[in-house]
Amino acid sequence: MCNRKISIVEEVLTINIKPGWKKGTKITFPEKGNEKPGITPADLVFVVDEKSHDLFKRDGNDLIVSQKISLADALGGTTISIPHLSGKILTIICPELIYPGYEKIIPYEGMPIAKDPGKKGNLRLKFDVKFPTRLSSEQRSTIKRVLNGDAP
């Protein structure tokens, strides 16, 4: 009969998550897994996962945000305020014509690039243009004249 004592040893391991780490990034603690007599302990491996966000979606190092705007703002220009992940409020001026599929790129406001400190991806602003559901006949006539170039 073998009289072996088993002792439980607790050890605190710290993982310093770096800004910009992507889903699937592995952190390995060599030989920190369970031990058995005569067998080398296994490596302990943690895998980074991403938590979804209500406003932003991640695409590589870029952040994507969808913004609802009216048809009038899409055609006439608008200014949008977005609360950024960093805590600051981004004020984005959009004087350009916004059309279906249009995407505005705001450089260096995306995720930090873990392998290149100091650099960031882009913020990609996508637009969801809300069309009116009703127009008076006078409004329809005016819009038609303006868009056809017949307005005075």
Side-chain angles (χ1 to χ4, degrees):
M1 199 165 174
C2 185
N3 287 336
R4 291 188 190 167
K5 286 189 175 186
I6 296 176
S7 60
I8 297 175
V9 177
E10 289 188 25
E11 183 177 356
V12 175
L13 301 171
T14 302
I15 300 173
N16 294 315
I17 302 293
K18 295 180 182 173
W21 274 6
K22 296 178 184 175
K23 180 178 183 173
T25 299
K26 293 181 181 181
I27 302 98
T28 303
F29 293 94
E31 299 183 9
K32 294 293 183 183
N34 287 338
E35 297 182 27
K36 290 185 181 179
I39 299 175
T40 303
D43 293 346
L44 187 59
V45 180
F46 291 89
V47 180
V48 173
D49 198 1
E50 291 177 353
K51 187 176 179 182
S52 63
H53 191 273
D54 291 339
L55 182 61
F56 296 98
K57 182 180 177 195
R58 184 174 183 171
D59 182 16
N61 294 315
D62 291 349
L63 286 175
I64 300 170
V65 64
S66 292
Q67 183 69 40
K68 292 181 182 180
I69 62 170
S70 69
L71 179 58
D73 286 343
L75 298 175
T78 189
T79 299
I80 298 166
S81 293
I82 298 174
H84 195 271
L85 291 175
S86 66
K88 66 183 175 181
I89 302 292
L90 295 177
T91 300
I92 302 164
I93 299 169
C94 303
E96 64 270 31
L97 183 68
I98 297 169
Y99 49 87
Y102 178 75
E103 184 176 281
K104 184 171 183 87
I105 307 292
I106 296 87
Y108 315 114
E109 291 294 347
M111 293 297 291
I113 299 173
K115 293 181 180 179
D116 201 351
K119 293 195 177 180
K120 292 183 177 182
N122 298 322
L123 177 66
R124 295 172 23 208
L125 187 55
K126 294 185 175 190
F127 296 92
D128 178 12
V129 179
K130 295 295 175 192
F131 280 73
T133 55
R134 292 184 313 209
L135 292 173
S136 69
S137 57
E138 183 180 334
Q139 288 171 316
R140 290 178 73 150
S141 176
T142 301
I143 289 171
K144 193 170 185 175
R145 276 197 323 274
V146 168
L147 293 178
N148 283 330
D150 299 336

